[in-house]
Amino acid sequence: MIRFFIVCIFVVLFLILSTPLMLVEWIIGKFNMDIKNRSSLAIVNWAFRCVIRLSGVKVIAIGEENIPKDTAVLYTGNHRSYYDIILTYVRVPRPTGYIAKKEMEKIPLLSIWMKHLHCLFLDRDNIKEGLKTILAAVEKAKSGISICIFPEGTRNKTPDTFLPFHEGSFKIAEKAGIPIVPMTIVNSAAIFEDHLPKIKKATVIISYGKPIYPDRLSKEEKKSLGSLVKNTIEEEYNRIKTEDYPL
Protein backbone atom coordinates (compact mmCIF):
# COMPACT_ATOMS: atom_id res chain seq x y z
CA MET A 1 0.00 0.00 0.00
CA ILE A 2 2.96 2.33 0.55
CA ARG A 3 3.68 2.52 -3.19
CA PHE A 4 0.04 3.27 -3.88
CA PHE A 5 0.04 6.25 -1.53
CA ILE A 6 3.41 7.52 -2.78
CA VAL A 7 2.24 7.38 -6.41
CA CYS A 8 -1.08 9.07 -5.56
CA ILE A 9 0.69 11.86 -3.65
CA PHE A 10 3.14 12.42 -6.52
CA VAL A 11 0.35 12.59 -9.14
CA VAL A 12 -1.74 15.02 -7.07
CA LEU A 13 1.27 17.25 -6.37
CA PHE A 14 2.31 17.22 -10.02
CA LEU A 15 -1.17 18.21 -11.19
CA ILE A 16 -1.40 21.04 -8.64
CA LEU A 17 2.17 22.36 -8.95
CA SER A 18 2.15 22.16 -12.74
CA THR A 19 -0.89 24.41 -13.03
CA PRO A 20 1.27 27.47 -13.96
CA LEU A 21 2.95 25.34 -16.65
CA MET A 22 -0.46 24.63 -18.18
CA LEU A 23 -0.92 28.37 -18.71
CA VAL A 24 2.60 28.74 -20.09
CA GLU A 25 2.01 25.87 -22.52
CA TRP A 26 -1.26 27.45 -23.65
CA ILE A 27 0.50 30.75 -24.33
CA ILE A 28 3.37 29.04 -26.19
CA GLY A 29 0.80 27.25 -28.33
CA LYS A 30 -0.61 30.57 -29.46
CA PHE A 31 2.74 31.49 -31.02
CA ASN A 32 4.47 28.21 -31.88
CA MET A 33 2.51 24.95 -31.76
CA ASP A 34 5.55 22.81 -32.56
CA ILE A 35 7.47 24.08 -29.52
CA LYS A 36 4.38 23.63 -27.36
CA ASN A 37 3.92 20.06 -28.57
CA ARG A 38 7.52 19.15 -27.78
CA SER A 39 7.59 20.90 -24.40
CA SER A 40 4.28 19.37 -23.26
CA LEU A 41 5.54 15.95 -24.33
CA ALA A 42 8.76 16.44 -22.31
CA ILE A 43 6.94 17.62 -19.17
CA VAL A 44 4.42 14.79 -19.09
CA ASN A 45 7.05 12.21 -20.03
CA TRP A 46 9.07 13.31 -17.00
CA ALA A 47 6.03 12.87 -14.75
CA PHE A 48 5.18 9.47 -16.22
CA ARG A 49 8.77 8.27 -15.82
CA CYS A 50 8.61 9.26 -12.17
CA VAL A 51 5.38 7.25 -11.75
CA ILE A 52 7.05 4.23 -13.37
CA ARG A 53 10.06 4.48 -11.04
CA LEU A 54 7.94 5.01 -7.94
CA SER A 55 5.82 2.01 -8.92
CA GLY A 56 8.89 -0.22 -9.21
CA VAL A 57 8.16 -1.14 -12.82
CA LYS A 58 10.77 -2.45 -15.24
CA VAL A 59 9.96 -2.25 -18.94
CA ILE A 60 11.46 -4.45 -21.64
CA ALA A 61 10.82 -2.87 -25.04
CA ILE A 62 11.07 -4.93 -28.22
CA GLY A 63 10.96 -3.75 -31.82
CA GLU A 64 11.06 0.01 -31.30
CA GLU A 65 13.03 0.20 -34.55
CA ASN A 66 9.77 -0.79 -36.30
CA ILE A 67 8.18 2.58 -35.48
CA PRO A 68 8.42 4.88 -38.54
CA LYS A 69 10.13 8.15 -37.56
CA ASP A 70 9.16 10.20 -40.62
CA THR A 71 5.38 10.06 -40.28
CA ALA A 72 2.57 10.00 -37.79
CA VAL A 73 1.33 6.49 -36.96
CA LEU A 74 -1.67 4.80 -35.39
CA TYR A 75 -0.58 2.79 -32.36
CA THR A 76 -3.01 -0.02 -31.53
CA GLY A 77 -2.60 -2.30 -28.54
CA ASN A 78 -4.26 -4.73 -26.19
CA HIS A 79 -5.47 -3.16 -22.96
CA ARG A 80 -5.35 -4.65 -19.45
CA SER A 81 -4.21 -1.79 -17.23
CA TYR A 82 -4.35 1.95 -16.64
CA TYR A 83 -0.57 1.71 -16.72
CA ASP A 84 -0.72 0.82 -20.43
CA ILE A 85 -1.02 4.54 -21.20
CA ILE A 86 1.82 5.58 -18.91
CA LEU A 87 4.19 2.82 -20.06
CA THR A 88 3.66 3.38 -23.77
CA TYR A 89 3.51 7.17 -23.73
CA VAL A 90 7.06 7.62 -22.45
CA ARG A 91 8.32 5.71 -25.51
CA VAL A 92 6.64 7.70 -28.31
CA PRO A 93 9.18 9.51 -30.52
CA ARG A 94 6.79 12.31 -31.53
CA PRO A 95 3.67 14.09 -30.13
CA THR A 96 0.93 11.49 -29.74
CA GLY A 97 -2.72 11.86 -28.81
CA TYR A 98 -4.46 9.02 -27.02
CA ILE A 99 -8.12 8.15 -27.49
CA ALA A 100 -9.57 8.10 -23.96
CA LYS A 101 -13.01 7.40 -22.59
CA LYS A 102 -15.29 10.44 -22.26
CA GLU A 103 -15.38 10.17 -18.45
CA MET A 104 -11.72 11.22 -18.20
CA GLU A 105 -12.58 14.65 -19.56
CA LYS A 106 -14.24 15.40 -16.21
CA ILE A 107 -11.07 14.89 -14.13
CA PRO A 108 -9.79 18.33 -13.04
CA LEU A 109 -6.31 19.39 -14.23
CA LEU A 110 -5.54 15.98 -15.75
CA SER A 111 -7.93 16.65 -18.63
CA ILE A 112 -6.13 19.94 -19.36
CA TRP A 113 -2.79 18.18 -19.75
CA MET A 114 -4.49 15.54 -21.90
CA LYS A 115 -5.83 18.23 -24.22
CA HIS A 116 -2.35 19.82 -24.39
CA LEU A 117 -1.15 16.39 -25.55
CA HIS A 118 -3.82 16.13 -28.28
CA CYS A 119 -5.81 13.44 -26.49
CA LEU A 120 -9.40 12.98 -27.63
CA PHE A 121 -12.35 11.81 -25.58
CA LEU A 122 -14.59 9.08 -26.97
CA ASP A 123 -18.23 8.70 -26.00
CA ARG A 124 -18.73 4.96 -26.44
CA ASP A 125 -22.50 5.24 -25.98
CA ASN A 126 -23.07 7.87 -28.66
CA ILE A 127 -22.34 6.72 -32.21
CA LYS A 128 -22.60 10.22 -33.69
CA GLU A 129 -20.19 11.74 -31.16
CA GLY A 130 -17.90 8.75 -31.52
CA LEU A 131 -17.69 9.35 -35.27
CA LYS A 132 -16.78 13.00 -34.61
CA THR A 133 -13.93 11.86 -32.37
CA ILE A 134 -12.61 9.50 -35.05
CA LEU A 135 -12.74 12.28 -37.65
CA ALA A 136 -10.92 14.62 -35.25
CA ALA A 137 -8.24 11.96 -34.83
CA VAL A 138 -7.92 11.72 -38.61
CA GLU A 139 -7.27 15.46 -38.85
CA LYS A 140 -4.66 15.32 -36.10
CA ALA A 141 -2.92 12.42 -37.84
CA LYS A 142 -2.88 14.33 -41.12
CA SER A 143 -1.21 17.23 -39.30
CA GLY A 144 1.60 14.95 -38.07
CA ILE A 145 0.27 13.95 -34.63
CA SER A 146 0.41 10.21 -33.97
CA ILE A 147 -2.68 8.61 -32.42
CA CYS A 148 -2.91 5.73 -29.97
CA ILE A 149 -6.07 3.71 -29.49
CA PHE A 150 -6.92 0.50 -27.67
CA PRO A 151 -9.37 -1.15 -30.11
CA GLU A 152 -10.86 -3.50 -27.51
CA GLY A 153 -12.76 -0.42 -26.35
CA THR A 154 -12.24 -1.05 -22.64
CA ARG A 155 -9.82 -2.73 -20.28
CA ASN A 156 -9.98 -6.50 -20.64
CA LYS A 157 -10.30 -7.96 -17.14
CA THR A 158 -9.64 -11.59 -18.13
CA PRO A 159 -5.94 -12.56 -18.17
CA ASP A 160 -4.38 -13.88 -21.38
CA THR A 161 -7.46 -13.18 -23.49
CA PHE A 162 -8.41 -10.59 -26.09
CA LEU A 163 -11.68 -8.82 -26.72
CA PRO A 164 -12.72 -8.22 -30.35
CA PHE A 165 -11.00 -5.22 -31.95
CA HIS A 166 -13.48 -2.60 -33.15
CA GLU A 167 -13.03 -2.16 -36.89
CA GLY A 168 -13.94 1.55 -36.70
CA SER A 169 -10.73 2.24 -34.79
CA PHE A 170 -8.68 1.57 -37.91
CA LYS A 171 -10.52 4.12 -40.04
CA ILE A 172 -8.11 6.66 -38.53
CA ALA A 173 -5.18 5.05 -40.34
CA GLU A 174 -7.10 4.42 -43.55
CA LYS A 175 -8.47 7.97 -43.91
CA ALA A 176 -5.29 9.70 -42.73
CA GLY A 177 -3.02 7.52 -44.88
CA ILE A 178 -0.73 6.53 -42.00
CA PRO A 179 0.71 3.15 -40.96
CA ILE A 180 -0.60 1.07 -38.06
CA VAL A 181 1.92 -0.01 -35.43
CA PRO A 182 0.69 -3.03 -33.42
CA MET A 183 1.65 -2.83 -29.72
CA THR A 184 1.68 -6.02 -27.68
CA ILE A 185 1.62 -5.33 -23.94
CA VAL A 186 2.35 -8.23 -21.59
CA ASN A 187 1.96 -8.30 -17.79
CA SER A 188 0.87 -4.67 -17.18
CA ALA A 189 -2.05 -5.73 -14.95
CA ALA A 190 0.50 -7.24 -12.54
CA ILE A 191 1.37 -3.69 -11.45
CA PHE A 192 -2.05 -2.70 -10.11
CA GLU A 193 -5.22 -4.34 -11.42
CA ASP A 194 -4.39 -7.91 -10.38
CA HIS A 195 -4.27 -6.94 -6.69
CA LEU A 196 -6.17 -3.69 -6.19
CA PRO A 197 -5.46 -1.33 -4.49
CA LYS A 198 -1.81 -2.37 -4.08
CA ILE A 199 0.89 -1.35 -6.53
CA LYS A 200 3.59 -4.02 -6.83
CA LYS A 201 6.92 -4.33 -8.61
CA ALA A 202 6.53 -5.93 -12.02
CA THR A 203 8.28 -6.42 -15.34
CA VAL A 204 6.25 -5.41 -18.37
CA ILE A 205 7.08 -6.25 -21.97
CA ILE A 206 6.03 -3.95 -24.80
CA SER A 207 6.60 -5.27 -28.30
CA TYR A 208 6.17 -3.06 -31.36
CA GLY A 209 5.34 -4.97 -34.52
CA LYS A 210 6.21 -4.09 -38.09
CA PRO A 211 3.99 -1.30 -39.45
CA ILE A 212 0.90 -2.24 -41.41
CA TYR A 213 0.08 0.08 -44.32
CA PRO A 214 -3.68 -0.04 -45.07
CA ASP A 215 -3.21 1.25 -48.62
CA ARG A 216 -1.07 -1.80 -49.41
CA LEU A 217 -3.71 -4.29 -48.31
CA SER A 218 -6.25 -6.05 -50.49
CA LYS A 219 -9.91 -5.08 -50.32
CA GLU A 220 -10.69 -8.21 -48.30
CA GLU A 221 -7.86 -7.53 -45.84
CA LYS A 222 -9.12 -3.98 -45.33
CA LYS A 223 -12.58 -5.29 -44.44
CA SER A 224 -11.14 -7.35 -41.58
CA LEU A 225 -8.30 -5.02 -40.59
CA GLY A 226 -9.28 -5.25 -36.92
CA SER A 227 -8.98 -9.03 -36.95
CA LEU A 228 -5.66 -8.81 -38.80
CA VAL A 229 -4.15 -6.50 -36.18
CA LYS A 230 -5.68 -8.47 -33.32
CA ASN A 231 -4.21 -11.72 -34.64
CA THR A 232 -0.81 -10.06 -35.03
CA ILE A 233 -0.85 -8.86 -31.42
CA GLU A 234 -2.24 -12.13 -30.08
CA GLU A 235 0.46 -14.17 -31.84
CA GLU A 236 3.19 -11.93 -30.42
CA TYR A 237 1.61 -12.09 -26.96
CA ASN A 238 1.59 -15.89 -27.01
CA ARG A 239 5.18 -15.96 -28.31
CA ILE A 240 6.36 -13.73 -25.46
CA LYS A 241 4.50 -15.82 -22.88
CA THR A 242 6.31 -18.96 -24.05
CA GLU A 243 9.74 -17.31 -24.17
CA ASP A 244 12.02 -17.09 -21.15
CA TYR A 245 11.22 -13.51 -20.14
CA PRO A 246 11.55 -12.50 -16.45
CA LEU A 247 7.88 -11.75 -15.80
Side-chain angles (χ1 to χ4, degrees):
M1 288 296 290
I2 294 176
R3 277 199 189 88
F4 174 79
F5 288 119
I6 291 174
V7 170
C8 286
I9 291 169
F10 173 81
V11 171
V12 171
L13 286 176
F14 169 77
L15 291 175
I16 294 172
L17 296 177
S18 67
T19 301
L21 288 176
M22 296 178 187
L23 177 59
V24 172
E25 291 297 291
W26 180 79
I27 294 172
I28 292 173
K30 292 294 182 180
F31 296 95
N32 192 314
M33 184 57 71
D34 181 59
I35 292 177
K36 183 245 184 182
N37 285 340
R38 287 187 281 115
S39 58
S40 292
L41 177 65
I43 292 167
V44 173
N45 266 350
W46 173 83
F48 280 177
R49 289 183 190 280
C50 288
V51 170
I52 292 170
R53 287 194 208 98
L54 292 171
S55 302
V57 178
K58 177 183 177 183
V59 177
I60 298 174
I62 304 170
E64 286 185 289
E65 69 278 2
N66 290 324
I67 303 173
K69 303 299 189 295
D70 58 348
T71 179
V73 303
L74 177 68
Y75 296 99
T76 57
N78 55 307
H79 192 26
R80 285 268 290 126
S81 172
Y82 289 118
Y83 272 83
D84 293 336
I85 298 167
I86 298 171
L87 298 173
T88 57
Y89 196 85
V90 299
R91 314 200 77 85
V92 297
R94 64 191 297 130
T96 302
Y98 278 56
I99 306 292
K101 59 184 180 181
K102 186 72 174 176
E103 291 79 2
M104 295 194 72
E105 193 173 14
K106 300 175 182 177
I107 301 176
L109 301 181
L110 176 62
S111 61
I112 297 176
W113 273 118
M114 292 179 73
K115 289 174 183 176
H116 277 320
L117 298 169
H118 300 280
C119 292
L120 297 167
F121 301 94
L122 180 66
D123 187 344
R124 293 173 292 188
D125 299 321
N126 188 318
I127 296 176
K128 186 177 180 180
E129 290 302 313
L131 179 58
K132 287 182 180 178
T133 301
I134 296 298
L135 292 176
V138 170
E139 292 307 309
K140 285 188 179 292
K142 286 181 177 179
S143 72
I145 305 296
S146 290
I147 299 295
C148 180
I149 191 167
F150 297 104
E152 289 171 294
T154 187
R155 283 185 301 111
N156 182 4
K157 297 177 175 61
T158 306
D160 301 328
T161 64
F162 295 81
L163 299 174
F165 279 23
H166 296 291
E167 295 289 342
S169 305
F170 301 93
K171 294 298 181 183
I172 299 170
E174 289 186 64
K175 293 184 178 297
I178 60 173
I180 298 163
V181 175
M183 292 190 308
T184 304
I185 305 171
V186 182
N187 207 44
S188 59
I191 306 168
F192 185 52
E193 282 77 8
D194 285 349
H195 36 70
L196 294 170
K198 294 180 180 180
I199 292 176
K200 293 185 177 182
K201 286 185 177 182
T203 298
V204 177
I205 297 173
I206 304 173
S207 178
Y208 298 89
K210 292 183 179 180
I212 298 170
Y213 293 84
D215 59 349
R216 300 177 187 176
L217 300 176
S218 67
K219 187 177 293 186
E220 289 303 313
E221 287 174 322
K222 285 182 180 179
K223 287 181 181 179
S224 56
L225 189 50
S227 296
L228 173 64
V229 176
K230 174 180 173 291
N231 291 339
T232 299
I233 291 174
E234 190 169 2
E235 286 175 10
E236 178 64 1
Y237 183 94
N238 291 330
R239 183 193 71 79
I240 291 170
K241 293 287 285 188
T242 59
E243 295 287 335
D244 189 23
Y245 286 100
L247 297 176

